[in-house]
Amino acid sequence: MPSTPVARTEYRRYLRGKTPWIVGLCFVLLSRLPAPPGSEEIEILTDVVALVHAQVAVAVIVPFAATALGFRAIIQEREAGTARILLGTKLTRCRFVLEMVLGRGLALLVPILGGTVLVVGYDAVQYGHFSVTVLVGFLSLSTVYVFAWTGMIVGLSAAGSSTTRAVIAGSVVTISFAFWDNVTLAFLWQIVTGSPPGNQMAYPAAFAIAKWVSPMSAYNVLTNWLFGVPVGTDPAVSQVSDAISDTGGFTPTAPPLPAWSGVGFLLVWPVVSLLGGTAMFRRADLTPSGGTGVFRTLVDHCLSLPWFSGHRFRRTTGRDGLVDALPGSWQPLARREFSRLVRTPLVWVVGLLVLAAGVAGLSPDRYVQNALGSRIPLAALQTPLGFLGGFGVLFGTFRTVIRERTTGAIRLTAGTGVSRTATLVGFVVGRACGFAVPIVAAVLLTCLVAVPQYGVVPLTTFAGFLVFTLVFVVGMAALGVTISTIVRSQSVAGVTVLLFAVVHIAWYSLSNAIYGTLTGTTVTGFAPPENPIYLFVRWFPPLQLFNVVTNAIIGVPNSAGSATGVISELQPNYFSNIVVARIDYGVDVPAWYLHPGVSGIQLGLWFVLPFGLALLLYRHWSID
């Protein structure tokens, strides 16, 4: 172990905790999820077949484990004041960041390498093939991969000015790169080139190179090169099976770049993140204020305009106004949370992103335009509202109660006449209203932009869509406040939100694995089983249920896919993993529990039950 005090302290602190055990357990469990290689793949892989399950586990576990370990590495020390003490010695800021990378990277490396040895040993006995040379090379590449992700996340932590921003930056980067091939790149490619990935997409050679950009993709490229299988961004078994299915025999195609160029894609991101993060850290105050002075000044000027400061507006929202006439004692707290939140950039960034994504989706294929007509803006807003709006609200609420405890403000609130139940209700209502303003504005503006081309959205459809959107915002705020109430650590709360996002994005694969485990039947969305329970599992998460209900409001067949995707699925010779009940079961509602109304109740339970548990616990726990 190097004689570096910060690195040594971080390494020992995390190695003595629960983190290595959790990471190691997740590593072993994840290595068992992929389907085992077939006889043809085993014959081609030979000595490296024992490493294919470990390859998948390392590629997937490291990004999220590194984010959980590193997103508060620097900002935590600044907020706690320990960074000022440490940097009062001969330790420089640059060395401080590098030692954080070294200490936390080593702490993560121990369970990753240990889990790799266990998984490879088990698979070597199972398949009867093993290569020491390839194992050493694989462990070396995995070590580089661990430090690459740790360096990138710690660099983002060094650049952040608050825990919330560090969580958002780390989560966005991790999710974007972890789902680079299937989600992020396809979305960016359609925006940049105007053509979605497929047989007719523009610049296919450039798209093949762009798939290597993600650190996870670069790691798969390098390990596939080490294994001697077709070089690509998918795991080794997928690369081999694709080569067999594409050519009818094992005839690999040449990669778009030399395999060794994957080293550059793997290392460029941590280098850029560390250089940028360290440069910002060197200029920043050691005690972050999280201030947004210019933005707050702008919002204050806007709120002082006659429309906001007029007598009618004060009669509704001011003291002794209509809001205060509502039952309960939560109104002052809700007003405070609303005022605090609308003066931060987060809510307006969420609104702008929803607006931009909604406007970008106003030019679907001709058959979608013919099917939806004036309802196209609602279909264009469906995914941005569910994904960007939903997770934006979560990121804006997961620290609500934790911050009150940390700053001691919760004692002042408890010393007033506001009950604990009213406190949580005030947090939810205030924060939900803060997000509702820009989100409603984004919905209205998107529909207005679409009027010249598609006409006015039917008022009843628009009203139902808008009301349900507001209910969804309130529910996600309740879920965020619930996390903030039950979880008492900012780090754990941030990781919880990150895992919540990951589960939603990866739910297609997870739902198939869950259904397969429960029934013993291997399924995919391309060939759903006859049992409607499969759809119940597919539609279980909140964002999937949001699509089910909004599809019913927009007037498209019953499905958890987006309205545009459902219309596309109805076209001849179009195949995707979206499951539309009418296509696969002959009717829109094959079972009562798949009715959109029941899905709305399920979505409500997702919000009400956790919030009820938070109320119950908060009323009996210590206020601190």
Side-chain angles (χ1 to χ4, degrees), residues 220-241:
N220 283 334
V221 166
L222 294 172
T223 49
N224 288 336
W225 184 33
L226 173 69
F227 293 166
V229 301
V231 173
T233 59
D234 292 326
V237 175
S238 298
Q239 291 293 133
V240 172
S241 61

Side-chain angles (χ1 to χ4, degrees), residues 149-384:
W149 270 102
T150 305
M152 185 165 57
I153 299 301
V154 172
L156 293 174
S157 180
S161 58
S162 69
T163 295
T164 300
R165 295 177 187 178
V167 170
I168 294 174
S171 300
V172 169
V173 169
T174 301
I175 292 172
S176 298
F177 280 147
F179 299 94
W180 178 259
D181 285 6
N182 299 324
V183 179
T184 311
L185 180 58
F187 176 73
L188 294 176
W189 199 259
Q190 184 166 3
I191 291 178
V192 173
T193 66
S195 64
N199 296 331
Q200 304 298 324
M201 74 173 175
Y203 314 111
F207 183 81
I209 295 174
K211 294 179 70 174
W212 291 32
V213 168
S214 165
M216 181 184 292
S217 300
Y219 172 77
N220 283 334
V221 166
L222 294 172
T223 49
N224 288 336
W225 184 33
L226 173 69
F227 293 166
V229 301
V231 173
T233 59
D234 292 326
V237 175
S238 298
Q239 291 293 133
V240 172
S241 61
D242 289 345
I244 295 173
S245 60
D246 290 343
T247 62
F250 186 62
T251 308
T253 57
L257 292 173
W260 53 263
S261 60
V263 176
F265 289 110
L266 180 60
L267 297 181
V268 66
W269 295 109
V271 170
V272 170
S273 178
L274 285 172
L275 289 177
T278 303
M280 296 180 67
F281 180 45
R282 292 175 67 179
R283 294 195 302 267
D285 190 349
L286 287 179
T287 304
S289 60
T292 53
V294 176
F295 185 84
R296 289 180 186 274
T297 302
L298 178 63
V299 173
D300 288 338
H301 280 300
C302 292
L303 293 179
S304 64
L305 293 175
W307 193 88
F308 289 101
S309 57
H311 179 64
R312 292 182 179 179
F313 186 79
R314 289 198 305 270
R315 284 186 61 184
T316 303
T317 62
R319 294 182 180 277
D320 300 324
L322 179 62
V323 174
D324 279 353
L326 297 174
S329 57
W330 48 266
Q331 296 88 351
L333 194 59
R335 262 199 309 270
R336 186 197 74 182
E337 291 299 305
F338 172 80
S339 177
R340 175 186 292 171
L341 193 60
V342 295
R343 287 174 168 81
T344 63
L346 176 61
V347 294
W348 303 103
V349 169
V350 170
L352 287 174
L353 289 175
V354 171
L355 175 62
V359 172
L362 289 178
S363 300
D365 293 324
R366 178 61 60 182
Y367 56 80
V368 177
Q369 298 180 27
N370 295 335
L372 295 179
S374 60
R375 295 166 293 166
I376 282 179
L378 302 185
L381 286 163
Q382 193 178 27
T383 300

Side-chain angles (χ1 to χ4, degrees), residues 20 22 28 42 63 80 90 156 184 241 268 286 306 325 455 509 520 550 566 573:
I22 296 174
V28 174
I42 293 175
K90 295 182 180 180
L156 293 174
T184 311
S241 61
V268 66
L286 287 179
S509 300
T550 50
V566 172
N573 300 321

Side-chain angles (χ1 to χ4, degrees), residues 382 468 535-536 539 542 544-560 581-582 587-604:
Q382 193 178 27
F468 183 74
L535 282 190
F536 181 82
W539 296 1
Q544 300 290 328
L545 296 172
F546 175 80
N547 281 350
V548 174
V549 179
T550 50
N551 280 338
I553 294 173
I554 295 172
V556 299
N558 199 11
S559 174
R582 179 182 299 178
V587 292
D588 277 341
V589 184
W592 66 268
Y593 48 81
L594 297 179
H595 192 281
V598 177
S599 297
I601 296 174
Q602 288 178 253
L603 184 61

Side-chain angles (χ1 to χ4, degrees), residues 280-566:
M280 296 180 67
F281 180 45
R282 292 175 67 179
R283 294 195 302 267
D285 190 349
L286 287 179
T287 304
S289 60
T292 53
V294 176
F295 185 84
R296 289 180 186 274
T297 302
L298 178 63
V299 173
D300 288 338
H301 280 300
C302 292
L303 293 179
S304 64
L305 293 175
W307 193 88
F308 289 101
S309 57
H311 179 64
R312 292 182 179 179
F313 186 79
R314 289 198 305 270
R315 284 186 61 184
T316 303
T317 62
R319 294 182 180 277
D320 300 324
L322 179 62
V323 174
D324 279 353
L326 297 174
S329 57
W330 48 266
Q331 296 88 351
L333 194 59
R335 262 199 309 270
R336 186 197 74 182
E337 291 299 305
F338 172 80
S339 177
R340 175 186 292 171
L341 193 60
V342 295
R343 287 174 168 81
T344 63
L346 176 61
V347 294
W348 303 103
V349 169
V350 170
L352 287 174
L353 289 175
V354 171
L355 175 62
V359 172
L362 289 178
S363 300
D365 293 324
R366 178 61 60 182
Y367 56 80
V368 177
Q369 298 180 27
N370 295 335
L372 295 179
S374 60
R375 295 166 293 166
I376 282 179
L378 302 185
L381 286 163
Q382 193 178 27
T383 300
L385 286 174
F387 190 79
L388 297 174
F391 287 114
V393 174
L394 271 186
F395 282 124
T397 53
F398 83 96
R399 286 185 64 206
T400 306
V401 180
I402 295 175
R403 184 188 56 205
E404 295 288 306
R405 290 195 186 109
T406 303
T407 60
I410 196 70
R411 286 184 171 274
L412 299 178
T413 302
T416 65
V418 181
S419 66
R420 295 198 179 190
T421 299
T423 297
L424 293 190
V425 171
F427 283 145
V428 171
V429 174
R431 295 258 153 179
C433 290
F435 278 99
V437 171
I439 287 177
V440 169
V443 173
L444 293 173
L445 288 174
T446 303
C447 292
L448 286 175
V449 170
V451 167
Q453 186 175 2
Y454 301 110
V456 178
V457 180
L459 293 181
T460 53
T461 304
F462 176 78
F465 186 88
L466 188 61
V467 169
F468 183 74
T469 298
L470 291 175
V471 172
F472 177 72
V473 169
V474 174
M476 294 302 289
L479 199 57
V481 171
T482 297
I483 294 173
S484 182
T485 304
I486 296 176
V487 178
R488 304 202 174 193
S489 167
Q490 296 184 61
S491 300
V492 178
V495 172
T496 302
V497 174
L498 174 62
L499 292 177
F500 188 79
V502 171
V503 167
H504 271 84
I505 295 175
W507 187 249
Y508 167 66
S509 300
L510 292 175
S511 61
N512 290 335
I514 292 172
Y515 183 85
T517 302
L518 294 176
T519 63
T521 304
T522 302
V523 294
T524 68
F526 295 96
E530 296 181 359
N531 189 350
I533 290 291
Y534 175 71
L535 282 190
F536 181 82
V537 177
R538 283 286 299 269
W539 296 1
F540 186 72
L543 299 192
Q544 300 290 328
L545 296 172
F546 175 80
N547 281 350
V548 174
V549 179
T550 50
N551 280 338
I553 294 173
I554 295 172
V556 299
N558 199 11
S559 174
S562 65
T564 302
V566 172

